Amino acid sequence: MQRSHGGFFHTLAGWESIVTINTVMYSWKRSLPGRESLSARHYPEFVAYLEGLRADGLIESFEQVLLWPNGSQVHGLFLLRGEDAKLAQVLDSPAWSAHILRSMMHLEEPVLAYGFSGAMAAERLGPVHAIGHALHRVVRRVAIRKAVGRDQV
């Protein structure tokens, strides 16, 4: 069985991935109390690693986002964008695994998530929106008919 990363669903027979991604998000709540100095040392090293991935063409871009305290579970994140196959190559690399494992030693509630953004998100959501609009029209018709006294649809 092949390793599976989020959006990459592999069969036992080792088929190709059936879901493609173009975005990876790594988020966290805060540094673990007492381990802030570890986070402060690791952060610029991880940014340098991501810069190297971008320079090597393995990712198209990345963003660093730090959020004001807001009551949520996310106060910071990295958002990586790239091609599915190249992101898979990054996620399968020992260097990526080492950074993620290292960060888990000093970050509270880290989350590694995969998905799609930009045109790929719009493409994926198109059918969902079409179904939603069709259901809205049906519900609206039923409501109008009930309002005018015709309960049968």
Side-chain angles (χ1 to χ4, degrees):
M1 183 169 154
Q2 295 183 1
R3 287 175 38 176
S4 176
H5 292 294
F8 299 90
F9 300 104
H10 297 281
T11 67
L12 291 173
W15 292 23
E16 296 297 314
S17 60
I18 58 172
V19 176
T20 58
I21 64 168
N22 69 356
T23 304
V24 174
M25 181 194 75
Y26 188 62
S27 67
W28 60 92
K29 184 174 184 177
R30 64 180 181 154
S31 293
L32 289 168
R35 298 195 179 171
E36 295 88 354
S37 63
L38 292 173
S39 291
R41 283 195 304 271
H42 188 206
Y43 191 90
E45 292 173 23
F46 190 61
V47 170
Y49 168 69
L50 295 177
E51 289 285 358
L53 293 176
R54 183 169 54 191
D56 293 344
L58 291 172
I59 62 174
E60 292 171 7
S61 65
F62 74 93
E63 291 184 48
Q64 310 166 54
V65 180
L66 298 175
L67 303 171
W68 289 109
N70 56 44
S72 78
Q73 301 302 314
V74 177
H75 291 150
L77 63 95
F78 285 98
L79 188 65
L80 288 65
R81 291 189 176 91
E83 297 173 20
D84 183 64
K86 290 181 180 180
L87 287 174
Q89 185 179 345
V90 169
L91 297 173
D92 280 334
S93 73
W96 175 265
S97 295
H99 275 292
I100 296 305
L101 288 172
R102 184 176 167 197
S103 69
M104 291 171 73
M105 295 182 348
H106 60 80
L107 294 177
E108 184 176 343
E109 299 183 29
V111 173
L112 185 57
Y114 316 93
F116 21 84
S117 62
M120 188 180 280
E123 177 183 302
R124 297 289 196 277
L125 289 175
V128 173
H129 286 231
I131 291 169
H133 288 300
L135 288 174
H136 175 72
R137 285 192 302 271
V138 169
V139 169
R140 187 167 171 238
R141 263 190 237 130
V142 169
I144 291 170
R145 288 182 178 180
K146 284 187 178 196
V148 296
R150 293 186 292 174
D151 290 339
Q152 296 179 354
V153 178

